[in-house]
Amino acid sequence: MLSRLRSSRLLRVLLALVALAFVGYGLAQNWEGTLEALGRLSWWSVAGACAAVMAGAGCMLLAWRSVVAGLGSPLPLRVAARVLFVGQLGKYVPGSVWAYAAMMELGRDHGCPPRRTFSATSLGLVISLGCAAGLAAATLPFTARSVAERAWYLVLIIPVIVVCLHPRILTWGLNLALRIARKEPIEQVLPGRALLAAVAWTVLGWLLYGLHTWLVLGDLTGDFSLYPLGAGAYAFAWATGLLVAVVPAGLGVREAAMVAVLVTALDGHGLVPAVTTAGAVALVSRLAFTLTDVAWAGIGWLLGRGTAQAPTETRASTYAAQ
């Protein structure tokens, strides 16, 4: 499959079109509900939610770029945006390999070996899952206790991820995954400063993601003290959608998980109608993230169009000397 993607420009274009078609299908499935939800909201809350998601995704880009640079391929920012965001459109296509395949081939075009793209993307997901689980574990017991009691497994994920981020264990795990994928092993241990930078950018990204649900919740309920609820609800929903990997981009799973948290919390606060409010937040959240994925992919594609192709690998020492 990768060899065909590498040799056929037409196949790459078709894959991008298929991904965009699935994006459109996902929006069309919830179109009436989305319009109804938007009709209940002020323009500033929708615009603010989209801006917060765009900014959060930008932080995730910087986190991913820190990791791939630490592994030996310090990509220019515009190239990193092209590889990450254009490639990530593949997550909307059923099957979990398309985003990985697209990102590895885009990275190869710019001199980043597939093993580094694969490793950076996998590590980015692990860090993001740890941050999401931590945010949910820190907020749900105070905002939606019954959901927190059922989702006790989130607390167990955090120490496992922390242990797995130890340099030696991390390198062993990445090389094991690369062997399974029949790729060459990574050449070096990820530097500690690159890992810390990725964690810091990811935490900031998750705090920004929390703003989008907070703005929509505040607009619908008139209560702007609900940031912990909004941030925790989305973190729990995203982690649930990621763990149910068979569903493209967590479609439907993420919304159901978010509604479960919000309904529990809003009923407890006496804010009604809880179900329609929670549904509106979930729909606007999906809309904001879908538009962000498409917008960032367009930005990355435009920024990376004029970049020179780099067929040779960049040595890890280049990054270490900076």
Side-chain angles (χ1 to χ4, degrees):
M1 180 182 65
L2 288 179
S3 61
R4 291 182 180 180
L5 277 175
R6 191 177 313 131
S7 60
S8 175
R9 183 178 181 84
L10 177 60
L11 186 58
R12 294 190 187 194
V13 172
L14 288 176
L15 178 59
L17 291 176
V18 169
L20 289 173
F22 275 103
V23 172
Y25 175 76
L27 290 175
Q29 287 291 96
N30 297 306
W31 188 246
E32 291 185 3
T34 300
L35 288 179
E36 181 182 353
L38 291 175
R40 298 174 55 196
L41 290 164
S42 305
W43 69 268
W44 55 263
S45 64
V46 177
C50 290
V53 174
M54 285 287 290
C59 290
M60 300 305 178
L61 166 64
L62 295 174
W64 182 83
R65 182 171 176 256
S66 296
V67 175
V68 79
L71 292 174
S73 293
L75 299 175
L77 187 59
R78 59 178 179 165
V79 172
R82 180 185 178 93
V83 173
L84 179 63
F85 292 123
V86 175
Q88 276 197 347
L89 287 179
K91 69 186 180 182
Y92 288 95
V93 180
S96 58
V97 301
W98 296 109
Y100 269 96
M103 290 176 65
M104 285 191 289
E105 288 309 306
L106 287 168
R108 187 197 297 270
D109 288 345
H110 297 280
C112 181
R115 62 182 178 275
R116 293 181 188 165
T117 306
F118 177 90
S119 298
T121 304
S122 300
L123 182 55
L125 282 174
V126 170
I127 293 173
S128 199
L129 178 59
C131 292
L135 184 56
T139 56
L140 291 185
F142 306 100
T143 58
R145 187 172 184 83
S146 62
V147 175
E149 291 173 350
R150 293 196 299 272
W152 54 268
Y153 55 86
L154 287 176
V155 178
L156 300 181
I157 291 175
I158 301 169
V160 172
I161 290 177
V162 171
V163 170
C164 288
L165 291 180
H166 184 279
R168 291 186 179 179
I169 297 176
L170 175 62
T171 303
W172 175 84
L174 288 176
N175 283 333
L176 176 61
L178 287 167
R179 280 201 301 273
I180 294 173
R182 298 182 180 180
K183 299 294 178 184
E184 295 179 13
I186 57 175
E187 306 94 324
Q188 67 170 45
V189 175
L190 182 69
R193 62 173 179 160
L195 180 59
L196 289 176
V199 172
W201 281 118
T202 304
V203 169
L204 179 57
W206 273 104
L207 294 176
L208 288 169
Y209 283 163
L211 289 177
H212 92 283
T213 43
W214 170 69
L215 286 169
V216 177
L217 269 175
D219 191 11
L220 290 172
T221 64
D223 185 351
F224 285 94
S225 67
L226 299 177
Y227 177 83
L229 170 60
Y234 179 72
F236 172 74
W238 183 88
T240 303
L242 179 66
L243 294 173
V244 185
V246 295
V247 180
L251 189 63
V253 177
R254 185 192 299 175
E255 287 74 23
M258 185 182 295
V259 167
V261 174
L262 293 178
V263 167
T264 299
L266 294 177
D267 276 341
H269 282 77
L271 297 172
V272 292
V275 174
T276 56
T277 297
V281 174
L283 283 172
V284 173
S285 176
R286 172 60 69 176
L287 177 66
F289 273 89
T290 302
L291 293 178
T292 291
D293 286 340
V294 174
W296 265 117
I299 292 170
W301 181 75
L302 290 173
L303 289 177
R305 286 188 68 186
T307 54
Q309 304 297 297
T312 58
E313 297 184 8
T314 304
R315 292 183 178 274
S317 58
T318 302
Y319 178 80
Q322 294 179 347

